[in-house]
Amino acid sequence: MSTINTVTQSLRAENDQEEPYKYAHLLPHLSQYHYPPLVPFQHIDPGLRALKHPDPRAFLKGAASVIELTPDLGTEVHGIRLTDLDHDARDQLALEVARRGLMVFRGQSDFIDQGPEAYLEWGCHFGRLHIHPASGHPKDYPQVHLVYKDANSTFNFERQDSITTTLWHSDVSYELQPPGLTTFFLLSQPTTGGDTLFSSQVSTLKKLSSPFVAFLRTLSAVHSGIEQANFSRSGKRGGVVRREPVEHVHPVVRRHPVTGEEALYVNRQFTRYIVGLKREESETILKFLYDHVDKSSDLQARVKWEPSTVVLWDNRVTAHSAIVDYGDSMERRHGARITPQAERPIPAWDGLALPNYDRSPAHHGSRL
């Protein structure tokens, strides 16, 4: 019996000692299959189709309530079943998520319980499904990224050498074509805690002075998956790396292909340095931008998880962080993410030139 299968079966056995777990078939599986590098593809955003619709918010007409979480970020919806949305309604959903950054749908047990085949069908509407290079997934469904932590194990990227578990990021921003609309839900959650923070990267950019934003538009930065891969190779998170890590250069300020809005696109977890600047210059600017995101509570929204909640966000215009404050409770937090990729980030300044190559560490040594 392989070590990988033993890990999955051990998780099931531990949980079955308590009571049969409804979502045991979605527990983390860590296959040793090695995937080739991702290849570029043409992404056509479904939100573009919704722009031509006479009422791009028609899919919300049957809602019991539509509540704006903050003026500029986040909408909570009650009374709409995601499983009922047809092709046009899903296009409208994509546009609304792009405009609001974040949408929270309550009462979605039918969506969650329909299983991984339906998750893939849902996600494919919004883009090519991403396979995470180093996380657990349900057996036979590598396109479903899992987060998992219980009393005995964790399959998450968690740093023990920090005074906080908050780590703002945009998912896998090191890919050449990072995610756009992303769907996430919890299958099991602690009694309290385990919330998720979101920040509007459109609003964080708007808070900065015009001359500084004009300067930022001229900059690009390296985003790297090396640290994440090394974390797994050290034996943590299950110890599997299924695709070699890559680094890519993205604009510091990107433009959304549907709304045209500009957003700050750097994050503590994956951005490493600004191209063309001296080390001290790069570190100073990035630290300022990270601190700006950290401290801007007026630009953030906090999602408190309830059973049967599905959250969608646009990774191109938001950042987020899990809050790991429930560890002492020894309770399980088990979530699934469906992560369609989108376009290569579009520079806000048309004159910004980006390299057309893969900065894989095998070919381009990392800057230390």
Side-chain angles (χ1 to χ4, degrees):
M1 181 181 296
S2 71
T3 302
I4 302 304
N5 288 334
T6 301
V7 169
T8 304
Q9 291 176 9
S10 175
L11 276 173
R12 290 196 175 104
E14 290 168 2
N15 292 317
D16 287 348
Q17 289 175 5
E18 303 169 4
E19 60 182 43
Y21 180 40
K22 180 179 180 180
Y23 299 108
H25 62 295
L26 298 176
L27 286 169
H29 175 77
L30 294 158
S31 68
Q32 292 182 322
Y33 183 82
H34 197 79
Y35 292 92
L38 295 176
V39 297
F41 72 101
Q42 182 183 12
H43 174 70
I44 300 175
D45 198 289
L48 289 170
R49 296 190 292 265
L51 287 174
K52 301 175 183 178
H53 195 279
D55 181 6
R57 302 183 80 236
F59 78 104
L60 291 172
K61 282 187 175 179
S65 64
V66 179
I67 305 164
E68 292 190 350
L69 299 178
T70 76
D72 299 315
L73 173 66
T75 301
E76 182 169 318
V77 180
H78 296 254
I80 292 290
R81 289 160 49 102
L82 293 174
T83 52
D84 290 342
L85 299 186
D86 61 13
H87 184 278
D88 287 344
R90 293 183 188 189
D91 289 350
Q92 295 166 30
L93 172 66
L95 176 58
E96 190 69 11
V97 174
R99 287 173 168 171
R100 293 294 298 163
L102 163 71
M103 296 194 74
V104 181
F105 289 84
R106 306 292 189 182
Q108 303 297 318
S109 58
D110 54 341
F111 181 96
I112 294 171
D113 290 344
Q114 62 187 336
E117 286 289 346
Y119 303 161
L120 302 191
E121 186 275 331
W122 168 266
C124 283
H125 183 86
F126 304 104
R128 184 178 74 180
L129 296 183
H130 182 259
I131 296 178
H132 197 283
S135 71
H137 60 80
K139 191 174 187 301
D140 299 325
Y141 294 96
Q143 304 92 337
V144 179
H145 166 80
L146 296 178
V147 299
Y148 189 92
K149 182 180 178 67
D150 63 20
N152 304 303
S153 57
T154 179
F155 290 83
N156 304 332
F157 183 87
E158 296 177 7
R159 301 180 65 169
Q160 304 299 324
D161 59 349
S162 175
I163 62 173
T164 179
T165 61
T166 304
L167 183 59
W168 290 101
H169 63 284
S170 177
D171 292 320
V172 296
S173 64
Y174 49 77
E175 300 289 13
L176 180 66
Q177 294 179 248
L181 185 145
T182 301
T183 304
F184 183 79
F185 47 90
L186 291 183
L187 301 156
S188 181
Q189 63 188 79
T191 305
T192 184
D195 298 349
T196 305
L197 291 172
F198 290 87
S199 174
S200 169
Q201 297 297 74
V202 173
S203 297
T204 54
L205 184 69
K206 288 180 178 178
K207 286 285 187 178
L208 303 175
S209 67
S210 296
F212 190 52
V213 171
F215 173 58
L216 293 179
R217 289 192 188 107
T218 69
L219 302 178
S220 58
V222 171
H223 294 239
S224 175
I226 297 173
E227 181 184 3
Q228 186 180 75
N230 289 343
F231 183 86
S232 292
R233 285 186 168 130
S234 70
K236 302 169 184 175
R237 202 183 196 179
V240 170
V241 176
R242 293 188 296 267
R243 190 170 59 247
E244 289 305 305
V246 295
E247 295 181 330
H248 284 105
V249 177
H250 296 315
V252 169
V253 182
R254 67 182 296 176
R255 179 185 296 116
H256 196 284
V258 178
T259 67
E261 288 191 302
E262 297 181 9
L264 188 64
Y265 198 63
V266 295
N267 66 87
R268 283 189 191 275
Q269 186 166 359
F270 299 123
T271 309
R272 292 295 168 261
Y273 62 89
I274 296 173
V275 176
L277 298 189
K278 298 292 182 67
R279 182 190 303 272
E280 294 85 354
E281 296 167 340
S282 172
E283 290 175 350
T284 298
I285 292 172
L286 288 177
K287 183 179 185 304
F288 168 78
L289 295 175
Y290 298 155
D291 288 346
H292 176 40
V293 174
D294 290 348
K295 296 173 181 177
S296 296
S297 299
D298 53 333
L299 309 177
Q300 299 171 7
R302 182 171 182 143
V303 173
K304 186 170 182 61
W305 291 96
E306 300 173 3
S308 304
T309 296
V310 175
V311 172
L312 298 95
W313 67 89
D314 194 322
N315 262 297
R316 295 168 290 192
V317 293
T318 62
H320 62 278
S321 176
I323 302 176
V324 190
D325 56 354
Y326 56 92
D328 291 344
S329 73
M330 311 296 278
E331 293 179 288
R332 180 196 292 121
R333 187 178 187 269
H334 180 194
R337 190 181 80 200
I338 308 163
T339 320
Q341 293 176 255
E343 74 286 344
R344 185 180 187 183
I346 302 168
W349 177 48
D350 293 337
L352 181 63
L354 299 174
N356 58 0
Y357 57 86
D358 176 358
R359 292 180 59 91
S360 167
H363 301 92
H364 303 273
S366 295
R367 170 171 165 176
L368 301 177

